[in-house]
Amino acid sequence: FSPELQAKTCVVDFTVTQLGLEEQLLGLVIGKEQKALEEQLEEVLNEVNQNTKSLLMLDASLLERLTSNTGNLLEDEELIEVLATTKKKAREVQEKLKNADETRKSINEKREQFRP
């Protein structure tokens, strides 16, 4: 395309891979054959996204606390309490992510049975 044409338009690349198409078709087949399995996979993926966002928010909150603190960090009881809470929640989120990954693997094994 000429530079003048590109300046006036937005070029969108709709590249499709064979693996991507296979996954989409597999999702459609399983959605028809075993709706509960596909719903469980969607639920697990949503849970992973929420837990990842939660972990990022905890990190951001802790970093903001650390940067906004003035004086000695060891004497700030509130900061130490926030750090302990963040550490505890981070462990919980990591455990949930680990469980979700195991569930996703088992679901993918069941999905692979539908491949020719």
Side-chain angles (χ1 to χ4, degrees):
F1 297 104
S2 69
E4 295 83 20
L5 182 61
Q6 287 185 353
K8 294 178 183 177
T9 61
C10 179
V11 178
V12 179
D13 185 11
F14 289 104
T15 304
V16 178
T17 63
Q18 184 174 354
L19 181 62
L21 285 174
E22 283 180 15
E23 289 296 321
Q24 288 180 6
L25 290 173
L26 186 60
L28 290 173
V29 169
I30 291 174
K32 298 277 186 199
E33 296 291 324
Q34 292 186 356
K35 192 169 183 80
L37 186 65
E38 194 65 21
E39 288 173 355
Q40 185 181 8
L41 179 62
E42 287 179 21
E43 183 180 314
V44 166
L45 292 176
N46 286 335
E47 185 178 315
V48 166
N49 288 337
Q50 289 174 352
N51 287 330
T52 304
K53 286 179 186 178
S54 175
L55 197 56
L56 291 173
M57 287 175 43
L58 288 172
D59 286 346
S61 172
L62 182 60
L63 285 174
E64 191 229 330
R65 282 264 194 207
L66 287 170
T67 57
S68 68
N69 188 20
T70 57
N72 190 355
L73 293 175
L74 298 176
E75 293 175 359
D76 190 353
E77 295 293 327
E78 185 177 327
L79 178 64
I80 293 171
E81 190 174 309
V82 168
L83 180 60
T85 305
T86 302
K87 186 177 177 182
K88 179 183 173 190
K89 287 181 182 179
R91 277 194 206 126
E92 291 173 2
V93 168
Q94 289 289 10
E95 186 65 31
K96 287 179 183 178
L97 288 174
K98 182 180 173 185
N99 291 340
D101 191 44
E102 291 172 3
T103 304
R104 187 173 17 169
K105 285 179 184 177
S106 70
I107 290 172
N108 283 336
E109 288 174 4
K110 292 175 185 174
R111 290 179 81 199
E112 287 300 315
Q113 294 174 357
F114 285 89
R115 283 194 196 264

